[in-house]
C-alpha cells in the first residue's frame, strides 16, 4: 500500500532562511511522488514531481526535493523563504491512479 | 486554456437537503477525480471517473454519495440528505490520461457547509 508521512504539522521560519519540509513514504513499488502547495481558500498547485528519473527534482518558485530510496524520504527544500511561501504543503504519492496525500505541513514565514 | 472549474465555490445546505457539486475538467482531459478535505486534514480520494464510467469509487461513502461524468457536460458529485459531517472542501482534479506519472490538475474546490 502507498502512504506518505509528513513529519511536521507546522514549520516556522524567518524570511530569507532555508526551508525544510519532511516527508517519508512507504510503497510496495517505486512510487511517483509529488509536492503540492495550497494557499488559503485556494486549490492545489503542483510544485514538483518525481517519476524515477533524476533523484533531485527542481520545481517552481525555487523549491526542490531529493528522492532518497535508502531513507524512503522525499523532503522539500528551498534555500531562502519568502513571505509568499506561507501556505500548506502536501507530500503526495500515487496509488493505482489515485493520489494519496500526507496530512500536510503548514509553513509559517515571519518577517 | 481555462483550468479545472468547479461551481459553486461555496454551498450552504441544511441537514437533509441535497448538495450538487459540479466540475468541468481542463480541455482535452477525460479523467476526473474527486477528493474531500475535512478541516485540518489532507485530501482523501473519493472517486475516479472517465467519460460515462466510474473506474474507482473505493473512497466514496457507501450511502448518500454518488458521482457521474456524462458524455456531455460536467462531472457531478451528488450528496443526498446531507449531514453536518459532510461539511468539507470538495476538490475535483483532471488529467489527460491515466497512469501514476500523470499530474492531476486541481480546481479551486467547493466548500460545503451543512447547517
Amino acid at each position: 500500500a502507498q502512504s506518505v508521512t509528513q513529519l511536521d504539522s507546522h514549520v516556522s521560519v524567518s524570511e530569507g532562511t532555508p526551508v525544510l519540509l519532511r516527508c517519508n513514504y512507504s510503497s510496495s513499488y517505486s512510487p511517483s511522488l509529488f509536492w503540492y502547495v495550497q494557499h488559503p481558500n485556494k486549490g492545489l498547485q503542483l510544485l514538483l514531481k518525481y517519476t524515477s528519473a533524476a533523484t533531485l527534482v527542481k520545481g517552481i518558485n525555487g523549491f526542490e526535493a531529493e528522492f532518497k530510496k535508502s531513507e524512503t524520504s522525499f523532503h522539500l527544500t528551498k534555500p531562502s523563504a519568502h513571505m509568499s511561501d506561507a501556505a500548506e504543503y502536501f507530500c503526495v504519492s500515487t496509488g493505482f491512479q489515485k493520489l494519496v496525500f500526507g496530512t500536510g505541513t503548514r509553513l509559517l514565514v515571519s518577517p | 486554456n481555462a483550468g479545472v472549474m468547479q461551481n459553486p465555490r461555496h454551498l450552504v445546505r441544511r441537514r437533509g437537503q441535497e448538495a450538487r457539486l459540479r466540475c468541468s475538467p481542463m480541455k482535452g482531459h477525460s479523467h476526473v477525480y474527486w477528493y474531500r478535505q475535512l478541516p485540518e486534514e489532507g485530501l482523501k480520494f473519493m472517486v475516479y471517473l472517465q467519460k460515462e464510467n466510474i473506474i474507482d469509487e473505493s473512497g466514496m461513502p457507501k450511502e448518500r454519495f454518488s458521482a457521474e461524468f456524462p458524455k456531455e457536460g460536467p462531472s457531478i458529485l451528488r450528496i443526498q440528505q446531507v449531514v453536518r459531517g459532510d461539511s468539507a472542501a470538495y476538490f475535483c482534479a483532471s488529467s489527460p490520461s491515466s497512469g501514476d506519472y500523470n499530474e492531476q490538475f486541481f480546481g479551486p474546490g467547493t466548500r460545503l457547509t451543512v447547517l
Side-chain angles (χ1 to χ4, degrees):
Chain A
Q2 308 289 98
S3 68
V4 288
T5 301
Q6 292 185 245
L7 299 162
D8 307 294
S9 59
H10 293 81
V11 169
S12 295
V13 300
S14 298
E15 191 175 21
T17 64
V19 175
L20 170 64
L21 305 182
R22 298 183 292 167
C23 172
N24 287 96
Y25 70 90
S26 66
S27 174
S28 54
Y29 61 93
S30 185
S32 294
L33 294 166
F34 306 79
W35 276 97
Y36 279 86
V37 60
Q38 183 180 30
H39 288 92
N41 297 316
K42 296 285 181 63
L44 288 91
Q45 181 183 21
L46 180 69
L47 280 177
L48 49 82
K49 65 178 179 180
Y50 166 76
T51 56
S52 76
T55 56
L56 182 62
V57 182
K58 293 189 183 298
I60 62 171
N61 300 335
F63 285 94
E64 63 181 38
E66 186 172 6
F67 176 76
K68 292 187 177 180
K69 188 174 181 178
S70 60
E71 299 176 9
T72 62
S73 69
F74 190 58
H75 300 335
L76 181 71
T77 60
K78 182 173 180 176
S80 176
H82 192 274
M83 294 296 290
S84 61
D85 294 329
E88 188 91 17
Y89 290 80
F90 292 99
C91 182
V92 181
S93 177
T94 53
F96 303 104
Q97 303 183 53
K98 54 180 174 272
L99 300 182
V100 178
F101 282 76
T103 51
T105 298
R106 188 174 300 276
L107 177 64
L108 306 168
V109 182
S110 56
Chain B
N1 185 10
V4 177
M5 300 177 69
Q6 290 187 249
N7 68 81
R9 293 291 305 276
H10 300 274
L11 182 61
V12 179
R13 286 288 178 265
R14 297 189 181 280
R15 281 179 297 171
Q17 292 184 318
E18 178 180 285
R20 279 181 177 248
L21 288 63
R22 295 175 187 78
C23 169
S24 296
M26 288 181 68
K27 187 176 181 181
H29 288 194
S30 58
H31 300 254
V32 166
Y33 311 79
W34 285 94
Y35 295 84
R36 177 166 64 174
Q37 184 178 31
L38 294 170
E40 305 299 321
E41 293 188 14
L43 279 72
K44 296 286 197 302
F45 169 80
M46 299 181 75
V47 62
Y48 162 38
L49 311 101
Q50 294 179 34
K51 283 286 187 182
E52 300 185 276
N53 290 304
I54 296 175
I55 307 302
D56 180 352
E57 57 181 346
S58 59
M60 287 278 270
K62 299 298 181 201
E63 297 176 347
R64 301 188 298 107
F65 285 72
S66 62
E68 63 177 9
F69 189 18
K71 186 176 181 181
E72 301 292 337
S75 175
I76 306 286
L77 179 67
R78 182 184 178 203
I79 312 172
Q80 295 178 290
Q81 299 174 344
V82 296
V83 301
R84 288 221 172 104
D86 297 332
S87 295
Y90 293 82
F91 290 93
C92 169
S94 72
S95 66
S97 59
S98 63
D100 284 352
Y101 297 108
N102 288 307
E103 176 186 352
Q104 293 182 18
F105 295 81
F106 283 82
T110 294
R111 280 158 182 81
L112 173 65
T113 302
V114 179
L115 302 177

